[in-house]
Amino acid sequence: MTNKRMAGTYGAMAQRGVGAYQSSGGVPQHMIQAVRMLDGLVEQIGRAHTCDVQKQYEAEYRAVELATLILSGLLSMIDSRQGTVGANLEKTYRSLMKALVGVCAMPGSQGQYLRLYDAALELRNAWASICSLPMMPMPEAFAAELASNPPVSGRGRRGAAVAE
């Protein structure tokens, strides 16, 4: 979901949630730790993208491997008592893992890395907002490349129609 859609659709609800966490006193340390882990995730996805562009496939694989390890760590932090929030986070982290591995297996898929980078950055900044930590901007070069490489709607990677 893009920041514009999130702001329009969920903006007021998200602000209330952020306000509730921030007004409850101190932010739990595990939430700050999650933001730091997401910092590493964003960094590794960016590194994988750069390595793919430069055709450094072994380094790309190592970056994806580190990213999936970070996601595994985030999965281990989910408390089963978190209900829907925990279930949604688990689904998000597992989806990111699968997508990263799939993209890594397909050289020349820089646009896919950028979309994963954007999603991880949005997730990171949502947690940072809750924890009153600074936002991480998208690098201008990545934003420009992402804007010039829009996803193909309704089509999979190999051109086959995708069920919506």
Side-chain angles (χ1 to χ4, degrees):
M1 181 179 312
T2 64
N3 288 337
K4 289 178 187 173
R5 265 187 57 206
M6 185 174 173
T9 307
Y10 301 107
M13 185 170 41
Q15 283 303 104
R16 283 194 304 271
V18 168
Y21 271 112
Q22 290 172 343
S23 66
S24 67
V27 175
Q29 189 61 36
H30 71 277
M31 291 173 68
I32 294 172
Q33 184 181 16
V35 173
R36 298 298 175 229
M37 291 174 75
L38 288 164
D39 287 344
L41 175 66
V42 169
E43 178 183 338
Q44 293 307 317
I45 295 172
R47 182 171 289 137
H49 165 72
T50 301
C51 291
D52 190 38
V53 169
Q54 297 172 352
K55 298 181 181 356
Q56 297 174 345
Y57 300 122
E58 287 181 35
E60 174 191 0
Y61 173 80
R62 284 192 303 275
V64 169
E65 184 178 38
L66 284 171
T68 57
L69 285 171
I70 291 167
L71 287 163
S72 292
L74 287 164
L75 276 168
S76 72
M77 294 172 66
I78 296 174
D79 186 344
S80 62
R81 297 171 294 183
Q82 289 175 321
T84 305
V85 172
N88 287 339
L89 280 173
E90 182 177 350
K91 184 177 176 181
T92 299
Y93 296 153
R94 288 189 191 284
S95 294
L96 278 169
M97 288 172 90
K98 288 177 188 176
L100 279 167
V101 171
V103 171
C104 185
M106 192 172 232
S109 50
Q110 296 93 3
Q112 298 294 330
Y113 276 124
L114 289 174
R115 283 184 275 291
L116 292 171
Y117 183 95
D118 187 40
L121 182 63
E122 187 173 336
L123 183 62
R124 182 261 179 224
N125 283 337
W127 278 109
S129 177
I130 290 168
C131 297
S132 298
L133 295 172
M135 297 293 110
M136 178 187 287
M138 178 174 285
E140 288 181 26
F142 281 14
E145 192 175 340
L146 186 60
S148 69
N149 191 4
V152 179
S153 178
R155 296 275 172 197
R157 279 205 193 136
R158 300 182 187 213
V162 175
E164 306 253 343

